[in-house]
Amino acid sequence: MPDLSFSQNDSNWSLLKKISFQFFFILFSLFIIFNNNGAFYFFRLLFSYPSHLLRQFIPWFSANVLKYEYDFTIFTNGSGDTSYDYISLLFFFMVSLAGCFLWSILDRSRKNYNKLYYWLIVFIRFYVAFTLILYGSIKVIKLQFPDPYLSRLLQPFGEASPMGLAWTFLGLSKGYNIFMGIIEISSVLLLFRKTMVAGAFLSLAASVHVMAMNYFFDVPVKILSTALVFMCLFILAPYFLTIYRFFFSNTPQQLIKPQAPVFKKRWQNITVTSLKYLFIVSTIGFTLSNAWSSQYRYGALAPKPALYGVYNVESYKLNGKELLPLTTDNERWKRLVIENSDFVSVKLMNDSNVFFSFKLDPETKEIGMGPRKGVPTQYKFKYNADDRNKLILSGSKDKDSLSITFKKYDLKNFRLINRGFHWINEHPYNR
């Protein structure tokens, strides 16, 4: 079997090993540059123009070369698994194949790529580490998986998407978020040669967990999580045999620390080391600082909007006439949910949901609700909220007068968010 494990200690690489390295060098470099995902903050500015060119080229490549049609206005967004992303990955793969073929011809006399391999590993290590530290920090601070929204708590269980179910499950437990976050943040060990292997193992475990969640709950970050798994395996590749012997033989094993290039002059080594630690500290510091401040803007510590809660309609009067709560009525409200300062959701009697833009002025006690997602209806209300959990809205719907009386729902009735932790359970509490 040919030896394809890359190592700095080999002075003469086989042709197959050199070609394999050239392929992975191009592929991983292209992926990291164009799928930076916040790992290297300066990449957004540095590669903004190449990224712009790629966004113009991929739709053309898809339509004219692959004959694959999709909505060409959609690029990477909340989903990292768009048609654009998959076609980009295919294009990177094709460029890597062509590039390594050309590279192997032009550089066929070279015996090894030990130095270039070292720097590729550094590049990959830092990318994986910074990516996982970013994701780990927003788990510890509970930004990625927030507490279940009121709308989620009111949603019938069977109507949830697999991703929505996963987000609710993960967002319910702060402790589990911290546990996942600590494992991902431990990838910081990848940044140092002495702890690189331990960091790669922990990063591999974290990445496999994320990849499995993405695949089995249809979370659209499959490409990135799979890439992180392959990168961790690539880092560990030179140690596979040693790891195998450690676990399955009775012979002592020793991991060899990769040797960093040494410059001739002392000041050059000091400068490179100083820049390395400055880069690490500044990147991690910026990541953690941004995550910390974000929790006060849209995380668990962000201020709740005035009148936050769930309100069930008790009385609905249109032009002075009480409308009966008929389930066939697609105009009468059944419930009002206020959990965002910019928009609210209204459930109608036929159980359909309508979203409105929302503006509340606590000083004048006025509420404005306007069109959103094609809904042209306009509402203007004066509101009155009393100590008995009653909310009364009086105003107009377009040109009609409207008065609605609500009863605020007690959020303590939601079993999911109020069950809590119990050391002792005489019987399973499985509801």
Side-chain angles (χ1 to χ4, degrees):
M1 181 180 293
D3 179 18
L4 294 180
S5 63
F6 302 109
S7 172
Q8 288 180 272
N9 300 319
D10 297 335
S11 58
N12 289 289
W13 288 18
S14 67
L15 177 61
L16 185 57
K17 182 183 291 188
K18 288 192 291 185
I19 292 176
S20 300
F21 169 78
Q22 291 161 351
F23 172 79
F24 284 116
F25 181 90
I26 299 172
L27 181 62
F28 284 142
S29 297
L30 287 174
F31 186 89
I32 293 173
I33 289 172
F34 291 103
N35 291 273
N36 179 47
N37 204 47
F40 301 110
Y41 290 103
F42 60 90
F43 271 26
R44 180 176 298 179
L45 177 63
L46 190 62
F47 295 103
S48 60
Y49 185 67
S51 297
H52 174 70
L53 292 179
L54 187 70
R55 288 193 170 201
Q56 292 182 319
F57 173 77
I58 291 300
W60 177 89
F61 177 74
S62 176
N64 295 278
V65 179
L66 301 180
K67 306 301 181 182
Y68 174 66
E69 297 288 341
Y70 68 97
D71 187 346
F72 296 131
T73 64
I74 299 176
F75 298 96
T76 307
N77 44 64
S79 169
D81 295 336
T82 64
S83 293
Y84 171 83
D85 294 304
Y86 277 105
I87 295 170
S88 297
L89 185 61
L90 174 62
F91 177 69
F92 296 158
F93 181 83
M94 295 170 63
V95 169
S96 300
L97 284 176
C100 76
F101 176 76
L102 182 62
W103 188 356
S104 63
I105 294 176
L106 297 177
D107 199 28
R108 58 183 177 274
S109 61
R110 187 178 296 275
K111 294 182 178 180
N112 63 68
Y113 291 100
N114 286 330
K115 290 184 179 179
L116 197 58
Y117 167 75
Y118 172 83
W119 290 113
L120 175 62
I121 288 294
V122 169
F123 193 34
I124 294 174
R125 282 164 46 202
F126 277 50
Y127 176 76
V128 173
F130 289 147
T131 298
L132 290 179
I133 290 170
L134 171 62
Y135 276 102
S137 65
I138 61 177
K139 286 182 176 67
V140 171
I141 300 178
K142 214 168 183 299
L143 289 174
Q144 185 179 13
F145 304 115
D147 295 332
Y149 296 120
L150 297 179
S151 54
R152 181 72 71 184
L153 295 171
L154 293 166
Q155 181 183 26
F157 193 77
E159 291 183 5
S161 66
M163 180 179 174
L165 175 62
W167 249 242
T168 304
F169 160 69
L170 296 172
L172 181 66
S173 172
K174 183 175 180 62
Y176 191 61
N177 271 266
I178 293 174
F179 169 76
M180 291 188 296
I182 289 174
I183 297 298
E184 293 182 2
I185 289 176
S186 65
S187 63
V188 69
L189 297 175
L190 271 174
L191 300 175
F192 311 99
R193 288 179 294 129
K194 290 182 179 180
T195 57
M196 181 186 73
V197 175
F201 267 116
L202 289 169
S203 300
L204 178 62
S207 299
V208 167
H209 173 257
V210 173
M211 183 180 72
M213 183 71 69
N214 292 344
Y215 274 84
F216 302 137
F217 285 86
D218 196 30
V219 180
V221 200
K222 302 176 187 70
I223 293 176
L224 176 62
S225 57
T226 305
L228 292 176
V229 169
F230 275 95
M231 289 179 184
C232 290
L233 292 173
F234 188 79
I235 295 170
L236 290 170
Y239 307 98
F240 282 161
L241 185 57
T242 302
I243 295 169
Y244 173 81
R245 289 171 177 169
F246 175 79
F247 284 106
F248 298 101
S249 73
N250 294 322
T251 57
Q253 301 295 318
Q254 182 178 3
L255 295 175
I256 300 175
K257 183 179 70 173
Q259 297 298 315
V262 178
F263 297 95
K264 293 181 179 179
K265 295 183 179 180
R266 184 170 177 269
W267 70 267
Q268 293 174 324
N269 291 299
I270 294 175
T271 301
V272 170
T273 302
S274 300
L275 290 175
K276 169 190 171 182
Y277 283 99
L278 178 63
F279 177 66
I280 291 174
V281 171
S282 61
T283 301
I284 295 178
F286 182 82
T287 299
L288 298 180
S289 174
N290 187 55
W292 182 265
S293 60
S294 295
Q295 68 178 328
Y296 294 97
R297 297 197 303 271
Y298 57 87
L301 299 181
K304 295 285 192 298
L307 301 181
Y308 174 86
V310 176
Y311 297 88
N312 293 319
V313 175
E314 291 188 330
S315 172
Y316 191 95
K317 294 181 179 180
L318 182 65
N319 293 324
K321 181 181 179 181
E322 176 73 27
L323 297 187
L324 298 178
L326 302 177
T327 57
T328 56
D329 195 338
N330 61 357
E331 292 290 339
R332 187 187 188 278
W333 293 9
K334 180 178 181 180
R335 179 184 298 129
L336 171 68
V337 180
I338 302 175
E339 59 180 333
N340 189 288
S341 58
D342 297 320
F343 67 90
V344 295
S345 65
V346 172
K347 180 175 282 294
L348 304 178
M349 288 304 302
N350 62 0
D351 279 340
S352 62
N353 287 303
V354 183
F355 294 88
F356 296 94
S357 63
F358 182 69
K359 185 176 181 181
L360 184 148
D361 189 337
E363 295 184 1
T364 61
K365 300 287 186 178
E366 291 181 340
I367 288 177
M369 295 170 57
R372 194 171 190 268
K373 294 185 178 180
V375 179
T377 309
Q378 295 272 2
Y379 294 91
K380 292 182 180 180
F381 294 114
K382 284 278 189 178
Y383 73 88
N384 179 41
D386 60 26
D387 297 334
R388 298 174 298 169
N389 290 326
K390 292 279 188 177
L391 173 66
I392 300 175
L393 300 184
S394 301
S396 63
K397 171 191 175 184
D398 292 331
K399 296 181 180 180
D400 298 316
S401 65
L402 181 62
S403 177
I404 312 175
T405 302
F406 300 88
K407 176 72 173 180
K408 189 174 184 180
Y409 183 77
D410 189 353
L411 301 183
K412 293 181 180 179
N413 292 329
F414 286 119
R415 181 187 293 128
L416 183 65
I417 59 175
N418 290 289
R419 165 63 179 167
F421 175 82
H422 296 78
W423 283 108
I424 299 175
N425 290 274
E426 303 298 355
H427 299 283
Y429 193 75
N430 188 358
R431 302 290 187 269

